[in-house]
Amino acid sequence: MSSRTNVSCLHEARRVAIFGGTHGNEMSGITLVNMWKQNSAEIERNGLLIKPFISNPKAVEKCIRYIDTDLNRAFTPENLSAPDVEGRLYEVQRAKEINRMFGPKGSSDAYDVIFDLHNTTSNMGSTLILESSTDLFNLQMVHYIKKAMAPHTCLVLLNEHPQLKYSTTRSVAKHPIGLEVGPQPQGVLRSNVFESMRTILKHALDFIEFFNSGVEFPPCTIDVFRVQERMDYPRDTNGNITAMVHPHLQDCDWEPLNRGDPMFLTFDGRTILYEGANTVYPTFINEAAYYEKQQAFTTTCREILAANAIRKAFK
Amino acid sequence: MKAVAMPTVSRVAVCGGTHGNELAGIYLVREMLKKRADGTEPVSVVTVMSNPRAAQLCVRYVETDLNRCFTRAALSAPVSETSPYEMVRSQELNALLGPKASMQAVDLLCDLHNTTANTGLCLITYSDRDWICLHICKHLQAQMASTPVRYVHFDIPLNEAYSLDSVGKHGFAMEIGPQPHGVVRSVIFSAMQEGVQLMMDWICQFNSGTLFEGGWVDVYTMVKNIDYPRDSETHVITAAVHPDLQDRDFCLLHPGDPMFLCFSGETLRYRGKEALYPFFINEGAYYEKGVALSLARKRRVQIPSVL
């Protein structure tokens, strides 16, 4: 028996952006966006305005993560409301421009959906990143993508942590989605990673087109990994790391880490064990860009989110 | 082959951080620098962080690739305050560890590198008849159970040899992959640590008069580089290394084998006439050098006993 009373009616999603190069050395998104800027046939959908966009062109040109500061941490309320001043950090200026073009963040004029394309050196496979456990549109979209990608696995990371959540480039939109595919070294384009990301986006755009055409998506549940804690490397008094991710943990993103499991291996061969009370599911294990952010890996816990049925609201 | 008597290898240099984002060598050199020499070592080892500024910033280089600054021309070029940092640094390193092609140069220079390519451990050198380097390779191959060890040869005369290892009387780059730049993987670090230790063990035994039996070593000699297919106007790459070739360093590539998968879906195949061995497949730092992969010919080289 379908519960007709429990269908959430949501606004049409008309304006969609695909961001590549938020980090200038994460090559899948940069390559896809440049390809689609030249020829957009593959991403065109009925009734949708889809804008492929290079978020950090200066960093892309130099094939580095950022010029002055990480763009994907720059969309704070302070930065977005700061006055235009000479000598401002490049990425802060860029964040304001992006907010003007695709926002303003939090307003009804903002783009409906932004997909932000990322790569990681971690063995995370294809990961969809959500910032809210209550955004029904996003929950239904990731459910659709996971089903469509099967048997290829697509996992969902939820970062709703009050302190660890950060102000992402995509947060300008009403429905932000991060696509994180790895492992891939910075500055490298791997064919399998590229094609996975391309296929995820194809399914995502299909979902939006179906939704806009009036298709109702039934209630569903989604397995997610919820961000808990950042774990840093052991360091000396000068701040240099004194150990590496242990070989038993390396590449084991999403697998359970229990108390007593090896976690780090010091340079002189000593094993450091995980001593947390509960089983956690680590991710972003040994991401190159996170050494400077004091993050060897992030712990998560597993959760099942439920989403109402959704359909487009009639005008 | 008759046994060959060779001079002791009394001065060794171990260099890391020639590229500032190749972390296994950087951390290994830092660890080695922590251990103070107490004068009882059988071999004098100088441990050097080659490009400290790049290592500090965790970038390959600050202004220009240090590991291309060791040609005779680069080492003798006049340098000033406005010269690129790495040009100045290469001359400093040459003064410290060389001068290249002189009697004062260190006997053996081992330069530690990482690559994003799936190369295993490679000793990369300019000679296919340097018995010291070939014997060290043979020793590592025999002793390193879980890491493939190969000898890669670039047939370039000494004057034009451009890398740091060419400064020593004997020298090689010890290149280990796969490892992303800016990351240290414990398995890679351990392999590098083991490789350096085995090299030092061999040198000590050699210096103390041990005879090392000759034999055969497979030598991969670089033949050519292959670039990505690129858009003729924008020069942007139009394909990625084909999934069938990705990570298959040192697996024979035959004419007709897939090489690139275009973004358009087309497969581009190897059009050479000769089956060759690919290596440095999809090295991150080589996009800007126009190299998607390198191709080598393999041959067995007979090496004499040495003492």
Side-chain angles (χ1 to χ4, degrees), chain B residues 206-220:
Chain B
F206 172 76
N207 287 349
S208 60
T210 305
L211 169 82
F212 284 92
E213 285 295 329
W216 296 86
V217 176
D218 284 337
V219 168
Y220 293 86

Side-chain angles (χ1 to χ4, degrees), chain A residues 31 35 38 121 185-191 194-195 198 240-241 244-247 250-251 265 267-268 286-288 291, chain B residues 23 27 30-31 116 180-187 189 193 231 237 239-241 243 246-247 261 263 282-284 287:
Chain A
T31 307
M35 193 176 80
Q38 236 199 358
T121 58
Q186 295 168 347
V188 163
L189 185 73
R190 287 179 69 99
S191 183
F194 173 82
E195 297 293 345
R198 192 180 191 173
N240 297 314
I241 68 170
M244 308 163 277
V245 170
H246 195 279
Q250 179 69 54
D251 298 336
L265 181 65
F267 290 116
D268 48 16
N286 207 351
E287 158 56 50
Y291 283 61
Chain B
L23 295 195
Y27 283 109
R30 284 201 188 142
E31 288 300 302
T116 60
H181 300 313
V183 161
V184 62
R185 290 175 68 95
S186 56
V187 157
F189 176 85
Q193 194 173 45
D231 180 282
I237 69 172
V241 169
Q246 179 69 54
D247 299 334
L261 181 59
F263 308 144
N282 206 349
E283 159 54 49
Y287 284 67

Side-chain angles (χ1 to χ4, degrees), chain B residues 117-178:
Chain B
N118 186 25
T119 56
L121 191 158
C122 292
L123 300 184
I124 306 180
T125 173
Y126 294 101
S127 168
D128 60 356
R129 63 208 62 190
D130 184 321
W131 311 134
I132 301 284
C133 295
L134 283 157
H135 265 278
I136 289 173
C137 182
K138 187 165 171 287
H139 184 66
L140 265 56
Q141 283 170 339
Q143 301 297 322
M144 289 184 82
S146 45
T147 309
V149 175
R150 296 182 182 90
Y151 192 97
V152 177
H153 163 231
F154 280 66
D155 192 11
I156 298 177
L158 193 62
N159 274 350
E160 287 153 52
Y162 45 75
S163 51
L164 171 57
D165 53 281
S166 67
V167 169
K169 294 193 184 107
H170 307 275
F172 47 75
M174 182 181 291
E175 181 93 53
I176 309 190

Side-chain angles (χ1 to χ4, degrees), chain A residues 102-166:
Chain A
F102 298 95
K105 176 166 167 174
S107 79
S108 55
D109 288 334
Y111 262 58
D112 297 293
V113 186
I114 294 179
F115 297 102
D116 194 17
L117 309 184
H118 288 267
N119 293 119
T120 174
T121 58
S122 306
N123 188 28
M124 289 167 73
S126 299
T127 302
L128 302 165
I129 307 184
L130 297 178
E131 301 183 7
S132 157
S133 57
T134 54
D135 182 336
L136 291 177
F137 182 86
N138 273 359
L139 290 176
Q140 287 278 3
M141 175 155 56
V142 304
H143 180 257
Y144 177 90
I145 293 170
K146 280 165 71 88
K147 259 179 50 184
M149 291 293 286
H152 179 99
T153 308
C154 230
L155 296 178
V156 181
L157 178 68
L158 171 65
N159 192 356
E160 213 174 25
H161 192 292
Q163 280 83 48
L164 298 186
K165 183 169 177 169
Y166 46 84

Side-chain angles (χ1 to χ4, degrees), chain A residues 14-29:
Chain A
R14 215 147 259 295
R15 293 188 303 155
V16 174
I18 303 174
F19 284 3
T22 292
H23 295 134
N25 53 12
E26 296 176 11
M27 303 307 294
S28 305

